Structures are given as C-alpha cells and as structure tokens.
Amino acid sequence: MKNFVLAWVALCLSGFSDAVTAANDGFNPDEITYLVTMSVNDKSVAEVDAFSSFYHALVEGNEPSTLAWQFYRGSDEKIYLIERYKNSAAASQHVMNISPGGIQEDEFNDFTEHFIIENIIIHGKPSEELISDLRAVGLPLEFRTSISGYTRN
C-alpha cells in the first residue's frame, strides 16, 4: 500500500510538472486582448458583414503584430470584436494607425459609420503609453489584469 501511495504521488507531481511546463511554453505575458462591444449604426446585415471582412483584412495587412481580429454577431444584435495584440507596442501601433494622420484614418471613419463603440474591455497589463493613447481617443474603457492562464500556439 505504501508503494502505491508513493507511486500515485509521483504520478500526480509528474503530471503537474508537465502541465506547468506546457502552460509556460509559448505563453506571452505581454499579450493585450480587447473585447469591444458595439451597436450597428443604421447598416444592413450585408453591409456589416462586407465591411467587417474588409476591415479585418485591412488590419491583418497593415499590422503584423496583431495576433487576431475577429468580429462576432450576438443574439442581442450587438457586434463583438476581439482584438489580440502581441504586446502594448502593437496595440499602440493600431491606435496610431486609426488616429488623425494615420494610415487607417479614413477607414476608421468608415468603421464609425458602421459601428457605435459602446465599451472596450482591455485584458492584460498595458503599458502606461498604451493607456495614455487609449484614453486620448476618448472611448469608454475598462481594464482587467490577468490572474493566471495559458496560450496555446
């Protein structure tokens, strides 16, 4: 019985060690993720779908450090956007791109013709520069810091 208990404890510790190693492989503690809640600004479903496809391709082409850009339609008729950035610098680059004089300024104006941004929840640990950049845009922001987690490649 004693050998069984020792073997069981060793097996559990081995599994825990593997889980910790797996969680640390590829984890990016600097990743910034936004969850944006939006209403549709007097556009048809077809117009929203076409613009969403256009805009995600624009971001993908102009922002290599943006990890993901995904639009979702909720049952509440709201549009939800998930934006994932490699780090605060990548997120700041997006803010620069959509700001006056930025390479996506005109397209962001089109974005605001399609969507009314109600809330942006920022997950991660943004730099002070990113926080300042976001606040300068004047959108409703909430910040959430990570407790624990993992990222799979």
Side-chain angles (χ1 to χ4, degrees):
M1 179 69 166
K2 184 177 181 182
N3 287 339
F4 173 76
V5 171
L6 289 174
W8 184 79
V9 168
L11 182 62
C12 288
L13 290 175
S14 171
F16 177 74
S17 174
D18 290 346
V20 169
T21 299
N24 289 332
D25 288 347
F27 178 68
N28 177 5
D30 298 325
E31 183 175 312
I32 303 294
T33 302
Y34 297 175
L35 174 57
V36 184
T37 302
M38 304 179 291
S39 299
V40 176
N41 194 6
D42 198 31
K43 299 291 182 184
S44 70
V45 169
E47 289 172 310
V48 167
D49 290 357
F51 184 77
S52 297
S53 292
F54 161 77
Y55 203 82
H56 94 255
L58 177 75
V59 172
E60 184 178 21
N62 288 334
E63 300 177 15
S65 293
T66 298
L67 303 175
W69 190 277
Q70 301 165 321
F71 288 93
Y72 296 90
R73 181 175 285 108
S75 60
D76 56 1
E77 298 189 22
K78 294 194 184 296
I79 302 297
Y80 297 90
L81 172 60
I82 296 176
E83 305 174 29
R84 288 181 52 224
Y85 298 97
K86 180 179 177 181
N87 53 32
S88 288
S92 286
Q93 183 62 55
H94 177 69
V95 174
M96 287 175 39
N97 288 350
I98 65 172
S99 294
I103 62 172
Q104 293 169 198
E105 175 187 8
D106 293 339
E107 292 83 0
F108 186 68
N109 288 334
D110 294 340
F111 187 98
T112 61
E113 289 177 11
H114 285 76
F115 305 111
I116 299 166
I117 298 172
E118 296 179 1
N119 191 32
I120 303 174
I121 302 172
I122 295 96
H123 298 87
K125 187 177 179 185
S127 67
E128 291 300 319
E129 177 184 357
L130 176 56
I131 293 170
S132 177
D133 291 346
L134 288 168
R135 288 198 169 130
V137 176
L139 297 170
L141 306 171
E142 291 180 40
F143 294 91
R144 310 249 168 94
T145 56
S146 178
I147 296 170
S148 68
Y150 68 91
T151 301
R152 292 191 198 272
N153 292 332

